[in-house]
Amino acid sequence: MAFSSLEIDAHEVQGLAETFKRAEREAPLAIVRAIKRTGDMSKVRVVRALTKQTGLKRDVIVRAVKAKPAGMSYSLHSRGGNVHLKYFKARPTKKGVSAAPWNKRRIFAGTFIAHASGGGSMFGGQVFKRTGASRLPIEAQRSGLHIPKEMISGATAAEFLAAVRTILPVRLQHELARILGGAG
């Protein structure tokens, strides 16, 4: 008579139990790492989208958008008011200054860029408009665009949410696989 058996030896699973104990200890840190990496990657996407959406140069957007990682959360903040026209590639024309807020070039009638007597630009290329009948007073012109408002609307907000939806699960899986020793 033939006899056969299947047997489970607890010593073979002991290593797996140790791996799960380590995973339980290190999981919060893995989640924090995944959130930070996802946040950093989404900031790059937000800066790219905000640059296209506003018409501002990338370095202006990079200075305006700040990342704040804090443990299990990551937030992007920006501040600023009504942006001056000079930041939108302003250039003088016969009818006024041409600038491109929201990446749409148009002419702002009756405006000018003050020039120094040597041919250089005074006031750093600021766009002005006369507020009275004589030469003075003049007033610096603004675009009506606010970076904080633009950051939470349109393509920029959609890009941030899409980045979080696609990147975070992959990063979390990657970090947990590191804890489990490459399994995953």
Side-chain angles (χ1 to χ4, degrees), residues 84-87 89-99 106-116 120-142:
H84 285 274
L85 280 179
K86 78 175 195 171
Y87 292 105
K89 303 173 203 109
R91 54 184 183 238
T93 66
K94 289 182 181 179
K95 294 181 180 181
V97 172
S98 172
R106 66 186 187 106
I107 294 177
F108 293 83
T111 58
F112 63 94
I113 298 174
H115 290 286
S121 177
M122 289 180 9
F123 306 112
Q126 194 67 264
V127 178
F128 292 100
K129 185 173 190 168
R130 297 192 198 301
T131 57
S134 62
R135 286 187 68 190
L136 296 174
I138 58 175
E139 185 177 86
Q141 297 298 292
R142 296 182 180 261

Side-chain angles (χ1 to χ4, degrees), residues 24-62:
E24 183 179 1
R25 269 192 326 269
E26 295 180 19
L29 181 58
I31 294 168
V32 168
R33 282 196 307 258
I35 288 173
K36 175 144 179 17
R37 179 80 166 126
T38 301
D40 291 345
M41 292 171 80
S42 66
K43 181 184 178 194
V44 170
R45 290 183 179 196
V46 164
V47 166
R48 189 179 304 132
L50 199 53
T51 301
K52 286 180 189 175
Q53 184 175 324
T54 62
L56 290 164
K57 290 185 178 180
R58 183 183 174 282
D59 66 320
V60 173
I61 298 295
V62 168

